[in-house]
Amino acid sequence: MSLYLFLGFIFTYYYVYNKTKNSYSSLISSIIFSFGGFSANSVFKGHSMLLGSYCFYPLIFLLSENIITKFKNIYNINFTELLFILIFSLQILAGHPQQVYYQCLILFSYIFFACNKIFKIKLFILVKILILLFISFLLCAIQLFPTYFFSNSAIRPVSSNLE
């Protein structure tokens, strides 16, 4: 749990510093993100595994910011985009599906409003992010599909349905 808080602190610091180039605001933002309401509530209620997904939010935003600024081609995958795929896959496997859903909603809104390019380029960037998300879902399918099939064939009471 302390590692997740530390990672959230570091990733928030780098993300805010990348946006503002001010170390003081980066430090304050990192403290607020790491020890704010969601983190404290997750720890207090005993849902510390949510922090395994939550700590990667700033890193996903930092990588998507790099994808926006260095966008050249929709087909080539560079190191930043590969890291985006791996981190998002880790976030899918580490957290709840609800956290991943929130991350996708926030990420698409962020890309749409943060990108200062024309609409056609903005649309290509959204398609590029969708392709990267699809690749990360395929990477997670190695673990998720066998788990799904196993849970379908498991013996459980009639009252507890998988859906």
Side-chain angles (χ1 to χ4, degrees):
M1 183 171 37
S2 60
L3 177 65
Y4 292 145
L5 292 174
F6 177 73
L7 286 175
F9 183 88
I10 295 297
F11 295 151
T12 305
Y13 182 85
Y14 283 126
Y15 170 66
V16 175
Y17 188 79
N18 186 37
K19 293 293 279 184
T20 64
K21 304 293 187 231
N22 186 349
S23 59
Y24 180 72
S25 65
S26 302
L27 182 67
I28 297 299
S29 298
S30 300
I31 292 170
I32 290 171
F33 181 81
S34 296
F35 303 109
F38 184 81
S39 301
N41 191 26
S42 297
V43 171
F44 179 71
K45 288 186 175 181
H47 299 289
S48 60
M49 66 182 185
L50 288 173
L51 295 176
S53 176
Y54 181 68
C55 71
F56 292 114
Y57 277 29
L59 183 60
I60 291 288
F61 286 125
L62 179 65
L63 293 173
S64 64
E65 186 71 29
N66 287 340
I67 291 170
I68 290 171
T69 57
K70 297 175 182 166
F71 178 76
K72 290 184 179 130
N73 193 346
I74 199 167
Y75 300 112
N76 294 339
I77 294 180
N78 59 19
F79 179 74
T80 303
E81 294 162 355
L82 182 64
L83 191 61
F84 180 89
I85 291 169
L86 292 175
I87 294 299
F88 205 84
S89 299
L90 181 65
Q91 188 180 23
I92 291 169
L93 293 173
H96 290 262
Q98 184 178 12
Q99 292 293 324
V100 175
Y101 174 70
Y102 291 154
Q103 175 70 34
C104 288
L105 286 178
I106 295 167
L107 182 65
F108 290 135
S109 302
Y110 176 77
I111 291 169
F112 189 73
F113 291 114
C115 185
N116 294 333
K117 301 183 182 196
I118 59 174
F119 184 73
K120 186 177 179 182
I121 302 294
K122 197 181 288 192
L123 187 63
F124 282 135
I125 291 172
L126 284 173
V127 169
K128 176 78 170 194
I129 295 292
L130 280 173
I131 291 170
L132 296 176
L133 290 176
F134 182 72
I135 293 171
S136 63
F137 280 122
L138 286 178
L139 189 62
C140 291
I142 297 168
Q143 174 64 35
L144 295 179
F145 280 143
T147 304
Y148 175 74
F149 292 132
F150 175 74
S151 61
N152 273 339
S153 63
I155 300 171
R156 58 186 173 275
V158 176
S159 63
S160 74
N161 194 357
L162 184 64
E163 286 83 17

